[in-house]
Amino acid sequence: MLEELMPNRKNPSESALEWRISEAPVPYETALAEMDRRVAAIHAGTAPELVWLLEHPPLYTAGTSADEADLLVPDRFPVHQTGRGGQYTYHGPGQRIAYVMLDLSRRNPDVRRYICDLEEWIIQALAQFNVTGERREGRVGIWVARDGGREDKIAAIGVRIRRWITLHGIAINVEPDLRHFDGIVPCGIDPVQYGVTSLVDLGLPVTATDVDVALAASFETVFGPSEKVP
């Protein structure tokens, strides 16, 4: 969602990036409020860009294209309306979320390119665990091929862009309870044809910390060099 044309930005550091990891689950409302504050500060030139790695308590989120018919069990978990693009998705323990607040006005002011970069970031991170993540035309997110020709989704993408600064980001399934996806039609994709998987479901003993390291290692390859700040 693009809210304004590119403004003039006054930022004293053109390459500063904060890399933050939250150990305890972060309530969804808290994360939304923090993203709003940070985007305003980045726009004002008073804070660096931010990549925030975290988990949420179990919940469903509804993007701007969500269809109520895809919420199969409305009272299973709290449902949050959100301004990101996309449809319904699940967040919860065992899923590594990366909220990404980058200033595209001084990187590459191209929304499609940004989404492609998020996909590539996930693909390169998964490759460090010898997992082949793939794009699929007409299906948002990153997919892995399974036996019998089945394809399962391992990572979701949902973004919003405000004044050319990005909000929301990606979610990689490390070891969530995959049964929790049964309460929705994830991203509107037919569950009869396609499923959801995780790194542990694929037989890999991977932790959120391992994924954090992989994401950090591949970030600059995709998005370019940044000066990490505390």
Side-chain angles (χ1 to χ4, degrees):
M1 181 175 181
L2 191 58
E3 297 184 346
E4 285 193 11
L5 295 177
M6 191 190 313
N8 293 321
R9 187 83 70 246
K10 53 176 185 177
N11 196 323
S13 175
E14 289 298 309
S15 63
L17 174 75
E18 179 184 353
W19 195 268
R20 182 190 304 175
I21 301 175
S22 293
E23 301 296 338
V26 178
Y28 194 70
E29 299 92 336
T30 300
L32 290 181
E34 173 61 19
M35 279 193 286
D36 285 342
R37 284 193 295 268
R38 189 53 167 255
V39 165
I42 294 171
H43 181 258
T46 58
E49 297 174 317
L50 173 65
V51 175
W52 186 13
L53 305 178
L54 57 93
E55 289 183 346
H56 284 308
L59 56 91
Y60 296 131
T61 64
T64 55
S65 302
D67 182 343
E68 287 189 12
D70 289 341
L71 182 60
L72 305 178
V73 188
D75 58 351
R76 187 167 191 173
F77 297 122
V79 180
H80 297 268
Q81 302 294 322
T82 178
R84 64 159 175 80
Q87 303 183 50
Y88 282 104
T89 192
Y90 165 77
H91 293 315
Q95 185 185 70
R96 180 46 98 213
I97 294 169
Y99 286 140
V100 184
M101 284 145 272
L102 301 181
D103 187 349
L104 296 187
S105 72
R106 57 185 176 81
R107 285 178 172 270
N108 191 334
D110 183 326
V111 177
R112 291 184 180 180
R113 170 65 183 273
Y114 173 63
I115 294 173
C116 183
D117 285 346
L118 289 177
E119 293 171 338
E120 184 62 26
W121 186 30
I122 298 168
I123 289 169
Q124 290 194 20
L126 294 176
Q128 296 177 56
F129 307 109
N130 295 316
V131 172
T132 301
E134 299 176 328
R135 300 174 175 91
R136 287 292 179 266
E137 186 70 27
R139 284 187 265 140
V140 179
I142 298 301
W143 300 77
V144 295
R146 308 299 298 270
D147 292 340
R150 184 178 178 87
E151 295 179 344
D152 287 348
K153 191 172 188 175
I154 195 168
I157 297 172
V159 304
R160 185 176 186 178
I161 297 176
R162 182 186 301 160
R163 297 172 175 173
W164 284 105
I165 300 170
T166 65
L167 299 91
H168 300 277
I170 67 173
I172 299 176
N173 295 332
V174 183
E175 191 180 8
D177 187 336
L178 296 178
R179 294 171 299 179
H180 291 171
F181 287 91
D182 295 343
I184 57 173
V185 178
C187 299
I189 301 299
D190 184 357
V192 175
Q193 289 185 284
Y194 308 107
V196 180
T197 191
S198 69
L199 288 164
V200 171
D201 183 54
L202 294 174
L204 301 168
V206 177
T207 67
T209 299
D210 297 328
V211 172
D212 293 347
V213 171
L215 288 170
S218 56
F219 183 86
E220 290 192 354
T221 303
V222 177
F223 293 99
S226 297
E227 176 189 355
K228 299 295 194 303
V229 298

